[in-house]
């Protein structure tokens, strides 16, 4: 069994981003800027936003974190997004989710300039992915494909992939990316009967269900490659994935851990998308 260490792969990606940013700096050009909008004081969101800001700094990009009160109105949040759209110095805009319940995330996402939508959540970018056009690919799915590539899985012709989870952020886009690589893809979810037997047929299994340690040895095919997208906080304060790592590790050929798996890849692909937005904006 090989462990797919996302933190190490993320370092690789960040090194290459850093060298491109160094080059930009050496030429005296403006630096790429990522704006992150945080609404309210959810501690988990604060910690994610901090790690995104630190990641920007670590590759030499600029970060602007905009913190708004939890009781801000929808109109005020939309005005913040529009001001960032209009700011030529801002390349990427990310609105940290989830938003407080009184705010409508969908219309906020719709308000982001698609050319700055480094999360890849605007319907234009989602549609571009669906129809095979260039655009921003959501960070977690992009990171997952990089992880698969790192274990030699790039052309997936003849392989069965099963995705557990159907969110716009992970499940749906990763299924499209796997299909683009010629995998035969099944999307299973919380209402799928006999999900265990469907998963057990997968050569590539991507689990993003938000159910701690749900996937046991009987769920995985011998020799499968498993990517665990779950991030669950246990009672002892430690993080665990949706896959019971210890239970499946001797059966699979490769598996990503939690922590140090998909999470760090998500952050580095956010930087990659911000650099891509910067290049597009500079090209004019
Ligand atoms: N608009 C938006 N875009 C997002 O991409 C987005 C979001 N909202 N809301 C929340 C989720 C969650 N997310 C994570 C990123 C990194 C780690 C990460 O690096 N985790 C570390 C551990 C961190 C810890 O110890 O708490 C790891 O897995 O090793 C986790 C989770 C991005 N999200």
């Amino acid at each position: 069994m090989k462990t797919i260490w996302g933190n190490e792969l993320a370092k690789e990606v960040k090194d290459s981003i850093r060298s491109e940013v160094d080059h930009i700096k050496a030429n005296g050009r403006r630096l790429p800027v990522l704006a992150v909008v945080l609404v309210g004081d959810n501690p988990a969101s604060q910690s994610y936003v901090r790690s995104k800001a630190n990641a920007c700094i670590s590759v030499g990009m600029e970060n602007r974190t905009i913190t708004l009160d939890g009781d801000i109105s929808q109109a005020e949040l939309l005005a913040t997004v529009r001001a960032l759209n209009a700011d030529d110095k801002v390349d990427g805009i990310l609105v940290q989710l989830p938003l407080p319940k009184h705010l409508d995330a969908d219309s906020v996402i719709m308000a982001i300039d698609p050319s700055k939508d480094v999360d890849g959540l605007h319907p234009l970018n989602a549609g571009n992915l669906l129809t095979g056009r260039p655009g921003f690919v959501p960070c977690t799915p992009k990171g997952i494909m990089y992880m698969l590539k790192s274990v030699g899985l790039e052309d997936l012709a003849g392989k069965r992939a099963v995705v557990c989870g159907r969110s716009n952020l992970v499940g749906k886009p990763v299924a499209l990316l796997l299909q683009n690589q010629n995998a035969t893809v099944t999307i299973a979810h919380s209402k799928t009967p006999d999900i265990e037997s469907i998963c057990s047929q997968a050569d590539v299994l991507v689990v993003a269900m938000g159910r701690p340690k749900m996937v046991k040895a009987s769920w995985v095919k011998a020799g499968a490659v498993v990517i665990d997208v779950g991030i669950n906080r246990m009672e002892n304060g430690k993080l665990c994935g949706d896959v019971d790592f210890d239970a499946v590790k001797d059966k699979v050929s490769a598996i990503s851990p939690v922590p140090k798996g998909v999470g760090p890849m998500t952050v580095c692909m956010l930087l990659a998308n911000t650099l891509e937005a910067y290049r597009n904006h500079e090209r004019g």
Side-chain angles (χ1 to χ4, degrees):
M1 184 279 302
K2 183 184 170 4
T3 303
I4 306 172
W5 292 108
N7 58 336
E8 287 172 11
L9 296 171
K11 212 173 287 164
E12 212 174 276
V13 174
K14 287 207 273 183
D15 283 344
S16 101
I17 293 172
R18 190 180 305 104
S19 71
E20 189 169 338
V21 175
D22 283 347
H23 195 70
I24 290 167
K25 214 180 277 183
N27 287 323
R29 298 186 2 238
R30 81 168 179 93
L31 293 174
V33 177
L34 171 67
V36 177
V37 180
L38 171 62
V39 184
D41 52 9
N42 177 310
S45 292
Q46 286 173 330
S47 132
Y48 291 140
V49 166
R50 221 175 301 122
S51 71
K52 286 164 189 174
N54 289 336
C56 281
I57 292 158
S58 79
V59 297
M61 288 185 186
E62 278 177 33
N63 173 261
R64 285 199 213 163
T65 299
I66 295 135
T67 308
L68 302 171
D69 273 353
D71 57 7
I72 193 178
S73 70
Q74 181 81 13
E76 287 172 289
L77 178 53
L78 289 174
T80 302
V81 169
R82 292 199 185 104
L84 293 170
N85 286 344
D87 187 336
D88 289 340
K89 289 200 174 65
V90 171
D91 299 291
I93 303 171
L94 178 147
V95 178
Q96 183 70 19
L97 302 174
L99 290 171
K101 278 199 242 349
H102 70 284
L103 296 169
D104 172 29
D106 194 51
S107 66
V108 174
I109 289 165
M110 293 269 278
I112 297 172
D113 179 340
S115 80
K116 300 189 178 189
D117 170 38
V118 287
D119 252 343
L121 292 179
H122 189 284
L124 184 71
N125 284 313
N128 283 337
L129 178 59
L130 183 74
T131 54
R133 286 173 226 264
F136 289 110
V137 174
C139 306
T140 300
K142 195 165 167 163
I144 291 168
M145 299 314 284
Y146 193 94
M147 294 169 105
L148 292 175
K149 193 175 165 185
S150 80
V151 290
L153 287 178
E154 195 166 19
D155 183 8
L156 300 173
K159 303 244 188 272
R160 277 174 182 258
V162 174
V163 178
C164 290
R166 53 178 158 171
S167 70
N168 292 335
L169 198 60
V170 181
K172 285 183 214 171
V174 83
L176 287 169
L177 292 168
L178 291 162
Q179 192 171 48
N180 287 347
Q181 310 276 63
N182 305 310
T184 300
V185 182
T186 301
I187 303 179
H189 50 78
S190 55
K191 294 198 161 55
T192 300
D194 211 6
I195 192 167
E196 175 179 343
S197 81
I198 289 170
C199 289
S200 70
Q201 295 171 47
D203 302 301
V204 175
L205 180 60
V206 177
V207 190
M209 275 188 310
R211 305 278 181 90
K213 298 189 184 183
M214 187 174 188
V215 173
K216 308 286 184 191
S218 58
W219 289 55
V220 301
K221 180 172 168 176
V225 173
V226 179
I227 305 292
D228 188 352
V229 189
I231 296 184
N232 309 288
R233 180 85 50 192
M234 291 183 293
E235 278 163 16
N236 64 10
K238 289 191 176 166
L239 293 181
C240 77
D242 291 353
V243 179
D244 189 337
F245 187 93
D246 289 327
V248 309
K249 68 177 195 302
D250 296 323
K251 196 169 175 185
V252 301
S253 67
I255 178 169
S256 71
V258 178
K260 297 187 179 11
V262 171
M265 294 306 291
T266 299
V267 177
C268 82
M269 291 306 170
L270 176 64
L271 303 176
N273 279 351
T274 303
L275 188 55
E276 189 177 322
Y278 171 88
R279 287 194 213 104
N280 294 340
H281 288 145
E282 289 294 290
R283 214 177 292 133

